[in-house]
Amino acid sequence: MSQTATMSQNGLSRGGALDLLRFVAALFIVLYHVAERAPVSLFAIHPAFGRGYLATDFFLMLSGYVLAKTYGPRVLGQGVTTGEFLKRRLLRIWPAHLVMLVLFVIFVLATGAVGLAPQNPQWFQWDQLLPQVFLMQAWFVPGPSGWNMPTWTLSALIVCYAGFPAAWRAAARITSPWTTLAIGVALFLVVDYAAKAVTGIPAHQLPLRFGLVRGIPLFALGMLIARLPTALPSRWADGLALAAGVGVVALQVVGRFDHASLALLGLLIWAAGASGAKGWGWAGLAGRLSFALFLTNQLVAVVWFGLLRVVEGKLGVEGPALWAAWALALPACVAAAWLFERFVDAPLQVWVKGWSRAPNHPLIPANAGTQIP
């Protein structure tokens, strides 16, 4: 078997389990972000709601897995340079990111012009805007992370993208995928416990400005999971994925078991990648929406709950009606993500691809623009 084939025995299936996982991860991150805005904070209802950081960690691992499965063979077989690879990834995420930042600035200026102060002014500090523009906010930049807060993960992922070609080629030199995975797990544990010794917080839960320390080991784990063989019956893969998902939920109900939860999330990614399930049109749509949902949810939530605060003050909304208004924020975020993907992100990618490269570039598959970075 060739080296390229060994590194990625099968590509990603579209309209299947991985597309669904991308959407679920993004949706749970949204839930985590709005949990404290509920009439009674979800964090106070059950400690499990306060572990939304695991959804972000899952997103980072999934990003490494998706990138390795999609681009790994091309990196090995085409001799793609790091600079060219990084350029392609930046062109995928940066245009839509900049559009959202412009919308944030317009919103803050417009509300300020009519005398409406933001409920959380620490999120909109002007000295934090420039690091956000250049996606550097996770590179140990001091101060509170604000504006489009979830994009700290993209800030960390840029460094992961820059190192991916070299890391993937280095992993290819080690025959056993289990050996490389063991190295990745050891790296994660060393960084995790070192961060806890220094800061009192494990690396997988560090504040956003330390995103590089948090993101790189998790991305590497996802990348190395992609090396594992996936030659098993589809029904076994589906069963393992279901068991891993149920196991993660059960662990959160009974207590805090972060490392065990991350291990199960890694198993979930591997099993979903091995699943033969595909052709689910609704899952394909959900997968396409995941990146847009990730980018847009913060602004949608700010607008939604700002309006809710005004309505609540004037009409005295309370009780079940207040809970219903809070819950409707989730479908509102999904609807906004659909509009953004349809009318902003997809057209932007068409324009960027036409401007930046000739058709049928060997590095970029035709549907690369639909994947979560």
Side-chain angles (χ1 to χ4, degrees):
M1 182 179 292
S2 69
Q3 186 184 56
T4 300
T6 301
M7 292 294 288
S8 184
Q9 294 177 356
N10 62 302
L12 297 177
S13 60
R14 300 291 178 253
L18 280 171
D19 280 326
L20 180 59
L21 283 182
R22 294 186 192 106
F23 180 76
V24 170
L27 192 61
F28 198 84
I29 289 171
V30 176
L31 178 62
Y32 180 56
H33 290 161
V34 304
E36 283 193 297
R37 297 172 181 264
V40 177
S41 171
L42 298 189
F43 299 161
I45 294 175
H46 195 285
F49 290 109
R51 301 187 198 112
Y53 55 85
L54 290 173
T56 303
D57 294 341
F58 173 71
F59 165 78
L60 289 164
M61 283 198 293
L62 184 60
S63 296
Y65 182 91
V66 169
L67 201 73
K69 282 290 189 180
T70 305
Y71 300 109
R74 293 173 176 85
V75 167
L76 292 180
Q78 303 293 337
V80 177
T81 66
T82 297
E84 180 69 10
F85 179 81
L86 181 58
K87 172 188 171 185
R88 301 299 178 186
R89 299 310 302 154
L90 285 174
L91 288 175
R92 172 63 192 103
I93 64 175
W94 209 358
H97 161 68
L98 291 179
V99 169
M100 284 308 304
L101 274 187
V102 169
L103 293 176
F104 263 99
V105 170
I106 292 172
F107 169 77
V108 171
L109 292 177
T111 53
V114 298
L116 294 176
Q119 189 174 7
N120 296 283
Q122 72 276 12
W123 290 357
F124 308 109
Q125 296 188 16
W126 294 103
D127 62 351
Q128 296 296 310
L129 183 60
L130 196 59
Q132 286 253 340
V133 168
F134 293 103
L135 287 174
M136 298 174 65
Q137 67 269 38
W139 302 3
F140 311 104
V141 173
S145 179
W147 297 95
N148 202 1
M149 193 181 303
T151 59
W152 75 265
T153 56
L154 300 182
S155 175
L157 283 172
I158 285 176
V159 177
C160 296
Y161 296 155
F164 171 74
W168 190 248
R169 292 178 186 123
R173 298 189 187 101
I174 301 175
T175 303
S176 170
W178 299 102
T179 300
T180 54
L181 181 60
I183 294 171
V185 170
L187 170 67
F188 167 80
L189 291 175
V190 167
V191 173
D192 209 47
Y193 285 114
K196 188 171 184 178
V198 173
T199 68
I201 304 172
H204 70 273
Q205 201 183 348
L206 280 172
L208 311 188
R209 65 181 181 274
F210 301 118
L212 291 183
V213 179
R214 181 175 173 181
I216 292 174
L218 289 163
F219 178 90
L221 280 178
M223 180 189 78
L224 296 173
I225 289 171
R227 287 204 68 200
L228 299 180
T230 55
L232 75 164
S234 179
R235 64 180 181 277
W236 290 12
D238 295 341
L240 278 174
L242 180 61
V246 171
V248 171
V249 174
L251 281 181
Q252 306 321 305
V253 172
V254 300
R256 179 177 172 179
F257 302 96
D258 286 357
H259 287 164
S261 298
L262 289 170
L264 285 173
L265 289 172
L267 176 62
L268 175 60
I269 291 170
W270 176 79
S275 173
K278 58 183 178 180
W280 303 340
W282 56 271
L285 174 61
R288 291 196 301 274
L289 289 181
S290 56
F291 179 49
L293 180 60
F294 171 80
L295 275 184
T296 61
N297 77 87
Q298 193 78 0
L299 181 57
V300 175
V302 168
V303 173
W304 183 270
F305 289 107
L307 292 173
L308 180 59
R309 184 160 49 111
V310 173
V311 172
E312 182 184 0
K314 291 186 175 182
L315 302 181
V317 179
E318 58 183 16
L322 193 58
W323 275 103
W326 171 82
L328 285 172
L330 292 177
C333 285
V334 174
W338 181 84
L339 291 171
F340 187 84
E341 195 278 334
R342 177 76 180 271
F343 297 108
V344 178
D345 191 33
L348 265 178
Q349 283 302 300
V350 171
W351 178 79
V352 166
K353 289 175 184 178
W355 167 78
S356 66
R357 64 177 181 270
N360 301 320
H361 190 282
L363 178 60
I364 306 296
N367 56 0
T370 67
Q371 296 182 35
I372 200 166

